């Protein structure tokens, strides 16, 4: 199965700033997915990122707050913009491996102070 | 994707079988049952999936009822390292188009000595 490298693994940021999370896959994939997991909660899909097109955002998530780039078939970034303490979460990227299911990165634990 | 219902938490003694139930009464004919688990602070990990036949791999067994409205994930000899949140998800496998994975609240399995 694919191996996903996600970084940073954790960060503490000041409110009002932005953080860009990177996700590198060791094989080419059509779609990449970004999830958020708030403290004590389940995972919520933020958006689906296809190479060469704009990301598709789920209800409650907007591009101005969570801009996504997908420059090629092995890489994607998610930016959390103008952060507030409510953005403190774990952010995860994933890819669909077909019959092998989804593979997830190890996550980025973000704390906004 | 069909909605699933799982108990919020379960306990299991180490070395015993852990049986995790999942109800998916609205599952469609072409939807598969997938199980993932998330060990604390890590990305979710794929365990197993099935359509209507029972499935077994090196990690677990999946028992799906004949009417496909419920299933049980079996960890035959639970260890402390199996302590995690287990998610049951029903979905159509990857078809080359958008195939997002929707997580419910899962079952928190605590394996004890």
């Amino acid at each position: 199965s694919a191996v996903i490298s996600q970084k940073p693994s954790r960060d503490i940021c000041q409110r009002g700033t932005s953080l860009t999370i990177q996700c590198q896959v060791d094989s080419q994939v059509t779609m990449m997915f970004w999830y958020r997991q708030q403290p004590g909660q389940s995972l919520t899909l933020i958006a689906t990122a296809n190479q060469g097109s704009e990301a598709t955002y789920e209800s409650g998530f907007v591009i101005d707050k969570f801009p996504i780039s997908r420059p090629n078939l092995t890489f994607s970034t998610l930016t959390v913009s103008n952060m507030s303490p409510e953005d403190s979460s774990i952010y995860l990227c994933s890819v669909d491996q077909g019959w092998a299911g989804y593979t997830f990165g190890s996550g980025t634990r973000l704390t906004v102070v | 994707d069909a909605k699933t219902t799982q108990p919020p938490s379960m306990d299991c003694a180490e070395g015993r079988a852990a049986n995790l139930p999942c109800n998916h009464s609205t599952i469609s004919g072409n939807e598969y049952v997938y199980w993932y688990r998330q060990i604390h602070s890590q990305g979710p990990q794929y365990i197993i999936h099935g359509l209507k036949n029972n499935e077994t791999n090196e990690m677990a067994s999946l028992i799906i009822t004949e009417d496909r409205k419920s299933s049980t994930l079996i960890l035959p000899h639970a260890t402390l390292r199996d302590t995690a949140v287990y998610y049951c998800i029903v979905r159509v496998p990857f078809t080359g188009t958008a195939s997002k994975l929707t997580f419910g609240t899962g079952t928190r399995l605590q394996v004890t000595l």
Side-chain angles (χ1 to χ4, degrees):
Chain A
S1 61
V3 176
I4 300 176
S5 300
Q6 185 174 340
K7 57 181 180 182
S9 59
R10 60 178 62 230
D11 206 341
I12 300 174
C13 300
Q14 297 291 322
R15 66 179 68 198
T17 64
S18 298
L19 175 72
T20 296
I21 301 167
Q22 298 180 3
C23 196
Q24 178 76 52
V25 189
D26 69 346
S27 58
Q28 294 185 340
V29 293
T30 304
M31 290 182 288
M32 295 180 72
F33 304 88
W34 287 97
Y35 285 84
R36 180 177 74 179
Q37 187 171 29
Q38 295 177 299
Q41 303 296 312
S42 184
L43 284 79
T44 301
L45 181 65
I46 298 172
T48 302
N50 285 340
Q51 192 268 335
S53 63
E54 282 197 3
T56 301
Y57 289 83
E58 297 297 304
S59 175
F61 298 95
V62 295
I63 187 170
D64 290 345
K65 177 66 175 177
F66 298 101
I68 288 172
S69 77
R70 186 77 203 278
N72 56 54
L73 291 174
T74 64
F75 187 78
S76 179
T77 67
L78 169 76
T79 299
V80 186
S81 303
N82 187 26
M83 288 183 286
S84 67
E86 291 71 34
D87 294 320
S88 297
S89 298
I90 298 173
Y91 293 86
L92 300 114
C93 64
S94 69
V95 299
D96 192 342
Q97 300 272 267
W99 295 106
Y102 272 50
T103 297
F104 285 82
S106 54
T108 296
R109 183 180 293 274
L110 170 63
T111 302
V112 183
V113 297
Chain B
D1 291 346
K3 183 177 179 180
T4 62
T5 304
Q6 299 177 252
S9 64
M10 294 182 63
D11 292 330
C12 179
E14 189 176 34
R16 304 297 293 269
N19 298 284
L20 291 90
C22 179
N23 287 320
H24 32 78
S25 58
T26 60
I27 191 170
S28 301
N30 61 347
E31 288 182 313
Y32 283 64
V33 180
Y34 281 77
W35 283 83
Y36 289 78
R37 73 179 182 184
Q38 186 176 26
I39 298 171
H40 182 63
S41 297
Q42 299 180 21
Q45 175 191 22
Y46 164 82
I47 301 173
I48 198 169
H49 76 278
L51 180 63
K52 56 182 178 181
N53 298 318
N54 298 338
E55 302 288 345
T56 296
N57 63 19
E58 65 278 4
M59 292 183 65
S61 295
L62 174 61
I63 308 298
I64 302 173
T65 59
E66 190 170 348
D67 62 7
R68 302 205 328 118
K69 293 184 176 181
S70 65
S71 60
T72 301
L73 178 74
I74 300 172
L75 308 178
H77 305 286
T79 70
L80 295 177
R81 288 181 293 181
D82 292 321
T83 293
V85 178
Y86 287 76
Y87 296 99
C88 168
I89 301 168
V90 293
R91 63 183 286 263
V92 177
F94 179 63
T95 62
T97 58
S99 59
K100 59 187 179 183
L101 205 61
T102 302
F103 286 82
T105 55
T107 296
R108 183 173 299 276
L109 175 68
Q110 179 68 52
V111 181
T112 58
L113 292 171

